[in-house]
Amino acid sequence: MLAYTIKRIGLGLLILIGVMFAMYAAVFIVPGNPARAALGPRATQEMIDRLTREMGLDQPYIIQVYNFFANVLTGNLGIDVMSNRPVAAEIWEVLPNTLILCIAGLGWATLLAIPLGCLAVLKRGSWVDRVASLISVGTISLPYYVVAIYALLIFAVKLNWLPAIGDGEDGDIMSQVQALILPAFAIGFTWVGYLARLVRASMLDVMGEPHIRTARAFGVPEWKIVTKYGLRIALIPTLSLLAVSLGGLISSAVFVEVIFSRPGIGKLVTSAVALRNYPVVMGAVLVMTAIYVTLTIAADLLIARLDPRIRDAFRGA
Amino acid sequence: MTEPLLAIRDLTIDYAGHVQAVRKANLEVRLGEAVGLVGESGSGKSTLASAITGLLPSSSRILSGDIAFKGQVITGADRRAQAALRGDEIAMVFQDPMTSFNPVLTIGEQLVDFQCRMPGSPMEKLNRAVAMLARVGIPDPALRARAYPHELSGGMRQRCAIAAALLVNPSLLIADEPTTALDVTMEAQIIHLFRELRRDYGGGILIVTHHLGVVAELCDRVYVMYQGEVVEGGDVDDIFHRPRHPYTRALLACDPARITERTSYLPVISDSERAGFLRGSSL
């Protein structure tokens, strides 16, 4: 298990190094000089040359990657070209916001989807199953920027129940929670359908297995068969999906962040891309990749804890 | 004569409304006797066994006839009564020990859950389970109770399955192909275990199998099923030595142990013979 963990972490680090190479390659391929973009149209060639040197953009590709790598190891993600502040500090300011948003969004979706999926299996073929699958397909079909805009229109503008923009007052938990509700609703909406369908499908698989019949033959109560004998196996694929989707959400939450004017890493990256603010883009992409990689490793380890068969397979690995 | 423990009368079961898996089957099991139910694949023997516990797949249903347990009809209206018998009066040992235990729970945990109809605290149930594991010949039972199913061999798991069934002290033990998934050495051990257990187990045993050797070793009486019909039933000695139904005769002729002369191919039941069997049975 320990050997497996170390192996997975090593693999994760390799992925991160690969991402660094790819990002610097992208800077070389994409047209436009970051220094010129940063200084604006009235900058002289001298100013541009000086900033290019300062940013290290005149160095060969390998040297640039090496410098970036060495800086990252010391926790330095570079300096924001626009604001002259350290990129690490800027990311650190907005990252918790995004994380809370994504966890809250996926959280409510999961809490709703697991019972919905189980219910559909228990009442398979009945109207309950059909309603559940209608809800699933409905929520999957609606992209979250649409949900976000309509949620904003209905609950913030028309009914005026919840704040429309921002992330709440500093230090005021209640207002922060209120500001979180609509964006989290919009983010989680699509996932209700995905997760419920996945839970339903894997539950159907598991409930058809012979060991479920054994448990029934011994008169184990049906609720216990579902929760203890079925769900524990059925949740394994759901967990992998959750880890990957949380990683993906952190970057794709940007639509919701823009609509609700919430500070977040997605919003940070999009504005940085528009301004060719390369240090910010690279730092943010690296952090998002690191989170993604960490989540997948965490999910794999958690699955190994839940399934003794996988645990034993890793013991040999 | 006393009331039989289990009496199946003219039972007909169909699948999806057009395949009759069991047709007008009659079968009896008495307390203290072991009854074999033999037949080839698809003859309906497993469907019949599932019907006794009320665990038929949802695509099938009982068309006519009934099943009585201790004189009380358990099919039809009162499904709850039938469900209440499972894991209490009736216990089952399933065919494939590889898949009949939950892979993510320990053997001990499952044996405790399986005693859900029995009184006692979880700790008492675990102790009972460990004692029963020892009883069915599992070495180091306390350690094995903490093991996951995949950590045990097939024979060991089948012993656990038998232990699970005996734990609830059922009046009727149904073993659905208990040795089919095992190799011959394991099979001999499990048959030996059943013989040994029979000495102090007072209930009835119904063994579903396609293996005539198992029946000869273990059973007092045997029923032969063919294409959904119980074509013949009686004492094991009678059936084995004086089979009346042509299918039984043909089946026994296929037993390699009965071949006395050197032959280049094993005997099989031909299609023309098959066509004759059912006409013979309707006489």
Side-chain angles (χ1 to χ4, degrees), chain B residues 1-83:
Chain B
M1 209 182 222
T2 53
E3 187 83 18
L5 181 66
L6 177 79
I8 298 177
R9 284 183 294 254
D10 293 329
L11 191 71
T12 301
I13 301 170
D14 79 351
Y15 277 97
H18 49 264
V19 183
Q20 290 199 349
V22 176
R23 267 196 303 270
K24 289 196 171 297
N26 284 285
L27 184 149
E28 271 184 15
V29 180
R30 292 170 189 287
L31 262 179
E33 77 172 349
V35 174
L37 181 60
V38 295
E40 58 191 25
S41 301
S43 61
K45 54 191 194 305
S46 282
T47 304
L48 191 58
S50 305
I52 299 168
T53 50
L55 289 173
L56 284 171
S58 54
S59 59
S60 61
R61 71 204 158 95
I62 293 174
L63 274 189
S64 62
D66 56 48
I67 300 172
F69 185 78
K70 291 187 170 171
Q72 195 130 29
V73 174
I74 54 171
T75 44
D78 204 355
R79 291 190 66 87
R80 203 166 292 176
Q82 189 177 28

Side-chain angles (χ1 to χ4, degrees), chain A:
Chain A
M1 195 68 202
L2 187 69
Y4 171 75
T5 312
I6 292 168
K7 207 165 138 186
R8 286 308 314 263
I9 291 173
L11 206 65
L13 289 177
L14 270 182
I15 292 172
L16 287 181
I17 291 171
V19 167
M20 291 186 203
F21 275 99
M23 283 193 306
Y24 264 93
V27 176
F28 273 82
I29 293 163
V30 174
N33 184 338
R36 189 188 304 270
L39 291 169
R42 292 197 300 171
T44 62
Q45 189 59 42
E46 269 165 58
M47 289 162 76
I48 292 170
D49 287 346
R50 201 176 67 229
L51 189 62
T52 306
R53 257 196 314 282
E54 272 172 26
M55 291 168 75
L57 292 173
D58 55 341
Q59 303 281 325
Y61 171 62
I62 289 295
I63 302 290
Q64 283 189 40
V65 177
Y66 172 79
N67 286 339
F68 184 59
F69 185 68
N71 281 334
V72 167
L73 283 185
T74 60
N76 175 8
L77 292 178
I79 301 293
D80 185 330
V81 186
M82 301 295 156
S83 65
N84 269 325
R85 296 177 56 217
V87 172
E90 292 200 331
I91 291 174
W92 191 241
E93 262 168 33
V94 292
L95 186 63
N97 251 328
T98 304
L99 281 180
I100 290 170
L101 174 65
C102 294
I103 291 171
L106 268 188
W108 82 261
T110 311
L111 288 181
L112 187 68
I114 289 177
L116 199 65
C118 287
L119 205 66
V121 172
L122 278 175
K123 309 267 176 199
R124 180 151 53 114
S126 73
W127 63 270
V128 178
D129 189 12
R130 256 166 275 156
V131 169
S133 97
L134 196 73
I135 293 174
S136 302
V137 176
T139 61
I140 291 171
S141 320
L142 279 173
Y144 43 11
Y145 46 86
V146 174
V147 179
I149 289 171
Y150 275 97
L152 190 83
L153 261 177
I154 295 168
F155 295 105
V157 178
K158 285 263 190 280
L159 296 171
N160 207 11
W161 286 352
L162 294 160
I165 55 166
D167 63 340
E169 306 288 326
D170 273 340
D172 182 357
I173 300 286
M174 266 316 288
S175 82
Q176 284 174 359
V177 170
Q178 277 180 349
L180 184 65
I181 292 175
L182 284 183
F185 172 76
I187 289 246
F189 197 77
T190 306
W191 290 98
V192 173
Y194 276 122
L195 291 169
R197 285 183 80 84
L198 184 68
V199 169
R200 181 182 182 272
S202 32
M203 269 306 262
L204 272 184
D205 269 357
V206 176
M207 294 305 277
E209 281 176 20
H211 60 81
I212 296 290
R213 195 170 79 137
T214 312
R216 285 205 181 114
F218 280 97
V220 178
E222 195 66 20
W223 63 265
K224 197 171 186 180
I225 292 178
V226 169
T227 53
K228 186 170 174 182
Y229 285 74
L231 203 55
R232 213 175 135 173
I233 299 176
L235 277 188
I236 290 168
T238 315
L239 259 179
S240 327
L241 179 75
L242 267 181
V244 176
S245 42
L246 185 58
L249 256 188
I250 286 168
S251 44
S252 58
V254 55
F255 294 110
V256 172
E257 284 174 351
V258 169
I259 290 169
F260 290 99
S261 298
R262 264 180 84 85
I265 199 158
K267 216 170 152 241
L268 185 75
V269 174
T270 27
S271 41
V273 167
L275 295 170
R276 290 195 194 289
N277 196 343
Y278 282 107
V280 175
V281 176
M282 284 191 213
V285 169
L286 190 67
V287 168
M288 287 192 276
T289 316
I291 292 173
Y292 198 96
V293 168
T294 313
L295 281 171
T296 11
I297 295 174
D300 283 349
L301 295 180
L302 194 64
I303 286 165
R305 275 229 51 82
L306 279 178
D307 192 335
R309 290 167 299 180
I310 296 176
R311 190 154 71 219
D312 283 5
F314 288 159
R315 214 165 266 160

Side-chain angles (χ1 to χ4, degrees), chain B residues 191-237:
Chain B
I191 290 174
H192 182 74
L193 175 65
F194 266 112
R195 285 176 74 117
E196 215 181 71
L197 293 170
R198 272 204 66 188
R199 279 206 304 268
D200 36 46
Y201 167 69
I205 304 178
L206 179 65
I207 296 175
V208 180
T209 182
H210 60 251
H211 193 321
L212 293 169
V214 173
V215 173
E217 292 275 348
L218 285 175
C219 299
D220 307 309
R221 287 192 305 117
V222 61
Y223 291 91
V224 181
M225 275 193 91
Y226 180 67
Q227 299 209 339
E229 293 184 22
V230 175
V231 292
E232 191 163 8
D235 286 348
V236 168
D237 283 344

Side-chain angles (χ1 to χ4, degrees), chain B residues 9-282:
Chain B
R9 284 183 294 254
D10 293 329
L11 191 71
T12 301
I13 301 170
D14 79 351
Y15 277 97
H18 49 264
V19 183
Q20 290 199 349
V22 176
R23 267 196 303 270
K24 289 196 171 297
N26 284 285
L27 184 149
E28 271 184 15
V29 180
R30 292 170 189 287
L31 262 179
E33 77 172 349
V35 174
L37 181 60
V38 295
E40 58 191 25
S41 301
S43 61
K45 54 191 194 305
S46 282
T47 304
L48 191 58
S50 305
I52 299 168
T53 50
L55 289 173
L56 284 171
S58 54
S59 59
S60 61
R61 71 204 158 95
I62 293 174
L63 274 189
S64 62
D66 56 48
I67 300 172
F69 185 78
K70 291 187 170 171
Q72 195 130 29
V73 174
I74 54 171
T75 44
D78 204 355
R79 291 190 66 87
R80 203 166 292 176
Q82 189 177 28
L85 293 172
R86 294 202 290 261
D88 186 9
E89 291 273 27
I90 302 176
M92 268 192 104
V93 175
F94 288 99
Q95 172 176 358
D96 190 356
M98 299 298 173
T99 54
S100 57
F101 280 105
N102 188 302
V104 301
L105 300 171
T106 61
I107 295 285
E109 222 172 319
Q110 296 183 60
L111 291 188
V112 169
D113 281 349
F114 291 168
Q115 295 175 64
C116 56
R117 297 276 159 80
M118 313 285 288
S121 69
M123 203 57 220
E124 283 165 20
K125 288 179 180 175
L126 185 62
N127 289 337
R128 258 206 301 265
V130 171
M132 189 55 84
L133 288 178
R135 176 79 188 78
V136 296
I138 288 179
D140 252 335
L143 190 73
R144 299 288 180 239
R146 283 196 298 273
Y148 289 96
H150 71 278
E151 293 167 341
L152 305 178
S153 69
M156 198 96 92
R157 263 181 271 186
Q158 197 58 302
R159 281 171 193 271
C160 292
I162 293 167
L166 291 173
L167 266 174
V168 300
N169 198 22
S171 306
L172 177 65
L173 175 66
I174 302 171
D176 188 1
E177 306 259 8
T179 61
T180 305
L182 305 174
D183 61 46
V184 269
T185 322
M186 288 297 173
E187 180 171 39
Q189 287 178 10
I190 294 294
I191 290 174
H192 182 74
L193 175 65
F194 266 112
R195 285 176 74 117
E196 215 181 71
L197 293 170
R198 272 204 66 188
R199 279 206 304 268
D200 36 46
Y201 167 69
I205 304 178
L206 179 65
I207 296 175
V208 180
T209 182
H210 60 251
H211 193 321
L212 293 169
V214 173
V215 173
E217 292 275 348
L218 285 175
C219 299
D220 307 309
R221 287 192 305 117
V222 61
Y223 291 91
V224 181
M225 275 193 91
Y226 180 67
Q227 299 209 339
E229 293 184 22
V230 175
V231 292
E232 191 163 8
D235 286 348
V236 168
D237 283 344
D238 276 350
I239 303 277
F240 274 52
H241 293 116
R242 287 175 296 280
R244 285 188 303 272
H245 193 273
Y247 174 70
T248 317
R249 259 179 254 150
L251 191 65
L252 288 166
C254 292
D255 185 352
R258 290 178 175 237
I259 301 167
T260 47
E261 279 167 40
R262 190 183 171 83
T263 170
S264 55
Y265 58 91
L266 290 167
V268 290
I269 299 174
S270 71
D271 285 344
S272 58
E273 276 178 300
R274 277 177 192 283
F277 294 152
L278 285 179
R279 254 180 279 130
S281 75
S282 59

